[in-house]
Amino acid sequence: MSVRSITVSGAALLAGLGLAVWFLPAPAGGAERALPAPALDPAPAAAGPQTAVFAGGCFWGVQGVFEHVKGVTRAVSGYAGGHVVDPGYEEVSSGATGHAESVSVTFDPSRVSYGTLLRIFFSVALDPTQKDRQGPDWGTQYRSELFVTGPEQERVAKAYIAQLEAAHAFSKPIVTRVDAAGPFYPAEAYHQDYLTLHPDAPYIAINDMPKVQALRTLFPENWQAQPVTVGKAVAAE
């Protein structure tokens, strides 16, 4: 179930009926704060760009956050973790394909580490204690999952989750899964750069813009004001 399709007038009507609670964002940990840096975050063995895939609810907000992170050269909304080849949005939304709405993040490890991306993800992009949902969106397609592209990412991801659990960083257990990356299928064009193109859309303004603002506030050293959008990345290739 998702409320992303509700119009401005629909949102106003729900607010008037006292139902706006469905639209309130669920900040990670219940408070705006930067989580501790990963204790394990080794420098990459090889130079050149790397890719990591993050699933944390609606991909609009996750993509919007990573597009504002220094060192990220591309962030693409799409589908990962399922068993159907090249699925469409309606198929994934049914929950029948096994995919999660995800974002494939390409980054320069000399400018931002995988561990830093994990720290930002858990601090501002989602609430990792919510199982098969995120905020107003429900279903396995909105699960929290890290799709790792190799043993090093797996080691760093699992170590960081264990570190956060040991520190009791959240009031509930972290349910974020860590699995090997498989095929990633980019989402339809109208889903790309959605936050940048529609910042005033009710869903974006209420659920996702606070995440971008939290990135700017909590991680000023990692913040870039000009987002690296999919369109610009393609034009630069």
Side-chain angles (χ1 to χ4, degrees):
M1 178 177 66
S2 172
V3 297
R4 285 188 289 176
S5 61
I6 293 181
T7 63
V8 174
S9 59
L13 175 61
L14 287 178
L17 293 174
L19 299 178
V21 65
W22 283 96
F23 293 90
L24 293 177
E32 190 175 284
R33 62 201 167 94
L35 295 170
L40 177 65
D41 190 14
Q50 295 188 357
T51 300
V53 179
F54 301 82
C58 172
F59 43 28
W60 293 344
V62 178
Q63 182 190 40
V65 166
F66 281 120
E67 287 188 335
H68 280 281
V69 175
K70 285 182 181 178
V72 169
T73 57
R74 189 169 188 173
V76 180
S77 289
Y79 313 114
H83 55 267
V84 174
V85 176
D86 198 17
Y89 176 68
E90 296 301 328
E91 291 178 280
V92 173
S93 295
S94 73
T97 71
H99 290 88
E101 290 196 11
S102 307
V103 177
S104 177
V105 177
T106 302
F107 61 100
D108 179 351
S110 69
R111 300 179 62 201
V112 62
S113 68
Y114 178 59
T116 298
L117 295 180
L118 288 174
R119 185 187 185 199
I120 290 171
F121 179 67
F122 283 109
S123 294
V124 306
L126 82 164
D127 179 347
T129 69
Q130 295 185 347
K131 182 175 174 58
D132 293 340
R133 61 165 294 203
Q134 201 61 219
D137 300 313
W138 297 68
T140 57
Q141 68 272 27
Y142 298 113
R143 66 184 180 269
S144 172
E145 189 164 4
L146 300 171
F147 296 98
V148 294
T149 57
E152 189 69 358
Q153 283 191 6
E154 180 179 15
R155 190 163 69 98
V156 173
K158 288 184 175 180
Y160 191 49
I161 291 174
Q163 176 185 338
L164 295 178
E165 289 280 59
H168 303 290
F170 300 94
S171 59
K172 299 178 181 178
I174 294 174
V175 297
T176 303
R177 294 163 46 178
V178 179
D179 292 298
F184 176 86
Y185 301 101
E188 295 81 352
Y190 68 89
H191 284 301
Q192 305 301 337
D193 308 322
Y194 197 91
L195 180 145
T196 298
L197 296 173
H198 308 283
D200 297 324
Y203 181 95
I204 294 294
I206 297 172
N207 293 285
D208 293 330
M209 292 307 294
K211 300 174 183 178
V212 176
Q213 183 56 47
L215 169 67
R216 181 178 183 178
T217 301
L218 300 177
F219 298 95
E221 69 280 7
N222 300 112
W223 166 260
Q224 59 181 9
Q226 189 65 32
V228 180
T229 59
V230 172
K232 290 182 179 178
V234 171
E237 292 177 352

